[in-house]
Amino acid sequence: MGVSGVSYMVRGSSAAECQRALDELCRLLGAVVTTGPAQAGGSRWVARAVPMPKAPAGGEGLAER
């Protein structure tokens, strides 16, 4: 996981609106989705993402292709 305790949440009035905002957030911040759009009651939808984990220094743990 990314930085401990940090997460981002988006809210929308529909699943599609929430997904669009989530996609943009991930693209702009380099975040990864943890929870796709879920109905939070009525016409409210929420989704979450976290910062993308950083590669270890010196490439440790990275597989060669």
Side-chain angles (χ1 to χ4, degrees):
M1 185 159 86
V3 177
S4 180
V6 173
S7 65
Y8 308 111
M9 182 183 76
V10 295
R11 295 186 293 188
S13 58
S14 69
E17 179 181 56
C18 193
Q19 185 65 58
R20 281 191 302 273
L22 182 63
D23 292 343
E24 184 173 2
L25 177 128
C26 289
R27 181 180 59 80
L28 293 173
L29 299 180
V32 292
V33 175
T34 57
T35 307
Q39 199 161 20
S43 62
R44 298 179 315 176
W45 290 78
V46 298
R48 290 183 174 81
V50 295
M52 184 176 294
K54 301 239 185 275
E60 294 176 20
L62 297 177
E64 288 188 32
R65 295 180 189 222

